[in-house]
Each structure stands twice: as structure tokens, then as C-alpha cells.
Amino acid sequence: KKMIKGEIIFLFTPLLPSTSVGTLDFRTIIEPMRSKEKNVHFFLSKCTGVNFEKKSITAREEDDKGEFEISYDKLIIAVGAASNTFNIPGVVENAFFLKELNHARLIRQHIIKNFERASLPSRSTREKRRLLHFVVVGGGPTGVEFAGELSDFFWGDVNKYFPDVPVNEVKITLIEASKSILGSFDKDLVSKMMKNITKQGIYVRTETVVKEVKEESIVLSDGSEIPCGMVVWSTGVAPRKFINDLDIPKTKNGRIIVDEFLRVKGVPGVYSLGDCAEIAGNPLPLLAQVANQQGKYLGKALKMEKPKPFQFKFMGLMVYSGNHKSALDLNNFKGYGFTSWILWRSAYLNGIGSLRNKMQVPFGWLRAILFGRDVTSF
């Protein structure tokens, strides 16, 4: 077994927003890619191409100093997806994404930097107001959870650590292009959530499209320009360049077409799963639970002579909206509030891989309650 990945860690992405504001430490949501199993070989490299006829993979070292080739009998492509910028000017240069661990670290650094700058007496009131305006583009689960975590940090910790910051000038704006945030959730739950979000001081703008992201502002489709100190971009996913370069059947959205056994159409010995793949005639939602179930299925199916087709079991939807309140949209339960927040945390804690992190995460939550969030910037 051989594994090629550009990072030496496996990231538990559902808790990524919590690390970006210091609720949890970065180390508590990562696992080492290297396995204790002797027959698993890990290569810290980036895959640059696949020769399906020769059954070989070309990979480049992390520092681009060398390239090598590996042959395969069976190949599994599970590279996920990239953030979708919709080719909007300035997004790549001026916005922050929230898909990788480094993204969360950069966001935390920028948040702390903005508060430090807003504490200085040399900054004008207008400049402080801009620095303390945080814009989140995208009303999906990641955008809503980040806005909720950010709000908790503002109202729970800013006064302790930044007494010179005018808290009344802190503002969070959540922008969504469609008619409602969390379009896949139950409407009644979203309605309850909206009331809580508004009370927390999060300003939600729906049916609003961002046309450009500048260094110190965003431009909307109506021509208005809004000054801000930070833009976090969370508007869906797009295929990675590696997937775009592969000469295999894909959907209009650029995802690899696979059958019900996760086999790539027309390419023997090649499988694909997660956000970079789509089952022909049965498109599944782009959720972590889909990739998780597909990974477990394929691990067993490859050992069988006649495996059964993959069947996705929908486990429901969860999202945290701040102020110790979460929404749970499950098959047999729908709820919003403190109890749902406890269940939300329990579900994520159960999903974390190692026993080490299962112990560290609760201590991180307790530490944030007792001593406040970590505002260290490094």
C-alpha cells in the first residue's frame, strides 16, 4: 500500500472553525498520516499526473526539487476539492479560505493583528471601524459556524484581552447569494437560528453577490463598496487542478464520474471518492460523511471478489451558530438550542480519530470556558 499526500497530517475539518478563533488548539484536530502498519508507505509529495495505460503515477517532492514515478495495481483518487472563487477578482489575493489547517492559522493571526491595530491610539475611528468589520462570504455550514465562533470570541474574550478596543465597533457580516443561509437545512430550524444569529450581532445579507474583493473592502453587485478588515471566503468547492488535468470522464462540474462500486468509468483499476467524484445517476451531497462512508466501503470492497454496490446512509446535518446553540437536522430528530449544542459536540468528539485527541478536545473546550480562548499569534 502506498499513499501520496502533500501534507503529513490528516485534518478533522468539522472543528476547523474552532481553531481559527482559539477555542481549540490546532494539534487537537490533526492526526499523523504515517501509519504504524508495516505495509503502508507514505510519500510527502504532490501527485502531478497519472498514466493510466502504464498504470503509473508521477509525483513531485514538496519543495519541487525532485520528481519520481510509482506504479500501481489499483489506484484510489481522493484529493477532495478546492474553494470555489467563481473567478471573482481579488478573492485569491485578498480573501482568506477555511479548508486547511494553515488557513485557520492565518485567519487567527489576522484577527489578532486587527485587534492589536485597533487598540493603537494612532488609528482613527474610521480606520478602527474598518479593522473591526469581519465579512464572511458564504452562508453554508462552514461560513455560519465560523461566524458563530467569531461572535463567541468577540463577546466572550475581547474585553479581557483588548480593553482598548471599542467593542461597539466590532461587526460581523455574513453574505449569502441565495435567498437563505443553510439552504439544505429545515426552514423552521433556519428561522430559529436567524433570530439567535441576529441577537449575537451578526448581520446577515441574503441575495447579495460579491463582485470584487479589494485589500480593504468588498464591492457588491449593486455597486456599493463596504470597508472591512477581513474577508473569509466559504462559497462551495471547485475541482483541483490535478483533477482538471486528468484525461478521464467527468461531469459538467469537473468531478470524476464513477459507478456504484466507485470505479472510474472506462478506466480499469482506478477508483475515486469524496468531493472529487460523483456516482453516475446518483449525485450525493458534498459532505464529509459521504467521503467517510465511501472510504470505509472501498476499504472492504477491494478485499472482496463480488462486493455490493455502495449505498449512502444519510446521518443528518449539524451546524453551530454561536452562543452555545446548534441546529440538528436528523432523520428522526430536529432541534435547535443548548441541548442540540451538547449533541453536536458529542457527535464531533465521537468522530475524532485517536484516543489522544478524544481526550484533548474536551480539555480544550473546558480551558476556553475557564480561562478564555487562546489569542496567541504565531
Side-chain angles (χ1 to χ4, degrees):
K1 299 176 183 177
K2 297 176 182 178
M3 182 183 299
I4 299 175
K5 194 175 188 293
E7 294 179 317
I8 203 166
I9 60 169
F10 173 79
L11 177 65
F12 187 69
T13 54
L15 289 177
L16 197 59
S18 297
T19 65
S20 64
V21 296
T23 306
L24 291 175
D25 184 76
F26 297 114
R27 296 177 183 85
T28 62
I29 65 166
I30 59 175
E31 302 285 351
M33 289 301 300
R34 291 196 172 275
S35 172
K36 293 181 180 179
E37 295 183 28
K38 294 182 180 179
N39 62 337
V40 176
H41 303 273
F42 175 74
F43 299 98
L44 180 61
S45 304
K46 293 183 179 180
C47 191
T48 56
V50 181
N51 189 321
F52 297 107
E53 292 183 359
K54 291 175 57 180
K55 284 196 169 185
S56 65
I57 301 169
T58 304
R60 183 173 290 278
E61 294 179 20
E62 184 187 22
D63 54 7
D64 291 335
K65 287 186 177 180
E67 195 172 66
F68 59 92
E69 191 173 287
I70 295 178
S71 60
Y72 68 84
D73 295 317
K74 294 180 180 178
L75 173 65
I76 302 172
I77 301 174
V79 297
S83 297
N84 196 343
T85 66
F86 299 97
N87 295 319
I88 293 175
V91 173
V92 174
E93 296 83 1
N94 301 314
F96 291 81
F97 300 105
L98 191 53
K99 284 186 69 66
E100 308 291 345
L101 188 67
N102 189 50
H103 295 162
R105 181 177 284 112
L106 291 173
I107 287 173
R108 186 196 289 193
Q109 290 173 347
H110 199 78
I111 291 172
I112 301 305
K113 186 184 293 183
N114 278 15
F115 276 99
E116 293 290 358
R117 290 172 174 172
S119 300
L120 299 174
S122 57
R123 300 282 175 161
S124 66
T125 301
R126 182 177 181 180
E127 175 64 2
K128 288 182 179 181
R129 190 176 295 128
R130 183 192 69 80
L131 287 169
L132 299 176
H133 185 194
F134 298 83
V135 175
V136 183
V137 183
T142 301
V144 171
E145 288 195 348
F146 174 72
E149 292 278 5
L150 196 58
S151 175
D152 287 347
F153 170 65
F154 290 164
W155 306 126
D157 297 278
V158 166
N159 285 335
K160 301 175 187 176
Y161 295 110
F162 301 95
D164 297 317
V165 169
V167 181
N168 60 311
E169 298 291 354
V170 177
K171 183 179 179 181
I172 304 172
T173 300
L174 180 61
I175 296 177
E176 169 58 35
S178 62
K179 293 183 179 180
S180 173
I181 62 172
L182 301 171
S184 55
F185 277 72
D186 179 80
K187 292 183 179 179
D188 290 336
L189 289 178
V190 174
S191 178
K192 293 177 182 178
M193 198 181 312
M194 282 292 295
K195 293 178 182 178
N196 179 61
I197 288 175
T198 303
K199 288 181 181 178
Q200 290 174 239
I202 301 174
Y203 179 46
V204 180
R205 296 189 59 165
T206 56
E207 298 184 271
T208 302
V209 178
V210 176
K211 287 297 183 182
E212 185 180 358
V213 179
K214 296 184 178 181
E215 188 175 354
E216 297 184 350
S217 64
I218 58 171
V219 180
L220 305 180
S221 55
D222 60 4
S224 61
E225 188 167 342
I226 303 175
C228 57
M230 183 179 194
V231 178
V232 175
W233 194 268
S234 179
T235 59
V237 297
R240 296 187 184 275
K241 182 181 183 301
F242 169 72
I243 298 296
N244 288 332
D245 292 342
L246 294 179
D247 187 19
I248 52 178
K250 299 171 197 159
T251 65
K252 293 181 179 179
N253 294 327
R255 301 174 69 190
I256 299 172
I257 300 175
V258 298
D259 62 14
E260 65 272 25
F261 299 97
L262 305 186
R263 299 174 301 196
V264 176
K265 184 178 179 181
V267 188
V270 181
Y271 303 79
S272 187
L273 58 87
D275 290 352
C276 66
E278 182 176 309
I279 299 175
N282 183 27
L284 298 174
L286 301 177
L287 300 172
Q289 57 183 286
V290 174
N292 184 42
Q293 292 182 33
Q294 288 178 336
K296 291 179 179 179
Y297 161 82
L298 201 54
K300 296 177 181 179
L302 291 176
K303 300 175 184 178
M304 302 178 183
E305 290 186 7
K306 294 183 179 180
K308 295 180 180 180
F310 171 74
Q311 289 187 335
F312 172 59
K313 183 180 180 182
F314 180 65
M315 304 300 291
L317 301 170
M318 304 183 296
V319 67
Y320 176 62
S321 62
N323 196 26
H324 302 141
K325 293 182 181 180
S326 292
L328 297 185
D329 192 350
L330 311 179
N331 293 324
N332 53 1
F333 175 80
K334 298 182 188 298
Y336 179 73
F338 181 77
T339 302
S340 295
W341 173 70
I342 296 295
L343 295 174
W344 170 81
R345 282 200 163 181
S346 300
Y348 278 174
L349 185 60
N350 183 60
I352 295 174
S354 68
L355 178 61
R356 180 196 64 187
N357 282 354
K358 285 182 186 293
M359 296 178 66
Q360 288 192 84
V361 167
F363 278 111
W365 287 332
L366 181 61
R367 182 205 64 204
I369 293 173
L370 296 178
F371 307 108
R373 290 165 179 78
D374 182 7
V375 295
T376 306
S377 179
F378 60 93

